[in-house]
Amino acid sequence: MSVIKEYWHKLSSAKHFYPIAGALLPWFLIPALLMLIWGSWQGLVVAPADYQQGDSYRIIFVHVPAAWLSMMAYMVMAINGAIYLVWKIKLADIVAESAAPIGASFTFLALATGSLWGKPMWGTWWVWDARLTSELVLLFLYLGTIALRGAIDDRQRAGRAAGLLGLVGAINVPIIHFSVEWWETLHQPATVSKFSAPSMHSSMLTPLLVMALAFTLFFFAVLMVKIRAGILEQERHSRWLSALYAEAPETTTTYSPEGEPGRNG
Amino acid sequence: MSPMSEFFAMGGYAIYVWSAWGLTALVMTANLLLPLRQCRKLRIELEQPE
């Protein structure tokens, strides 16, 4: 038990997670970029046109992954906000803070690409139905936690307030998911999660799943960069960071005597 | 129509398909580049304290 405890303690400290985040970054980013390229090629060029929607359905390859990510990022934010509320782990607060703007941007993307798909298929940019409205509420929840954070100067109080709002708002995530089943809606029901009887041909389904995985990996890549920035920001007066950067060997100058040009001899 | 212009025409849905994909590319690029730049800025500040 104590080994696990110690491991967890180390992982949850900003000092130890900072290099881990840096090491993880390429493992998220490189597969994400490769899969984005392959998925785009397949989705835009290789996959056949839809028999009902023609080529307009190709928006699905960016719309569904963005919408899926908007909910997953919210869960990452809400869970880390909750961890901060309960255990006061600073790193969890940094993760929650980092996830919010990424999630907000993908929620915006899901709404915008959905709108661009709705216009040619439904004849309207927007309807106030359950799926679209609950996704818009998700955007406001993200913006709410960001604004709340910005409005409170004290870092701990800001983190707790944002964490609480994020946690309460998490109820919206299952509402978004089930909205197409619970209420009458223009929005089509899930295409992907029906694995028993997939309603999509594999030439379309495979690139969609690859794009969804690519977006997810991309999210974690950006999250790692933002966590590192957050740690740098919050811990900039700490000894371990100045030891890492300010007093790093390549920047320490063996003080050259007056008048002598050039450093390090 | 040549295969290339046919591809860009997207069966008449060009404006919708390319707007959606273009917007996605833009948002994702910004998502990656802005934090990378901020990270670099913060590191430089640490390396060269005033």
Side-chain angles (χ1 to χ4, degrees), chain A residues 1-11:
Chain A
M1 264 325 264
S2 71
V3 180
I4 297 170
K5 239 180 178 170
E6 197 178 309
Y7 174 77
W8 184 245
H9 182 76
K10 270 196 166 179
L11 196 67

Side-chain angles (χ1 to χ4, degrees), chain A residues 40 55 58 105 218 245-246, chain B residues 10-11 16 21 28 31 43 46:
Chain A
S40 302
D55 283 313
R58 294 185 198 279
S105 69
F218 183 84
Y245 288 114
Chain B
M10 278 290 156
Y16 303 107
W21 279 74
M28 289 180 89
N31 250 312
R43 268 203 310 267
L46 271 168

Side-chain angles (χ1 to χ4, degrees), chain A residues 190-200 205:
Chain A
T191 350
V192 176
S193 51
K194 296 190 295 182
F195 277 115
S196 48
S199 49
M200 220 179 167
L205 186 61

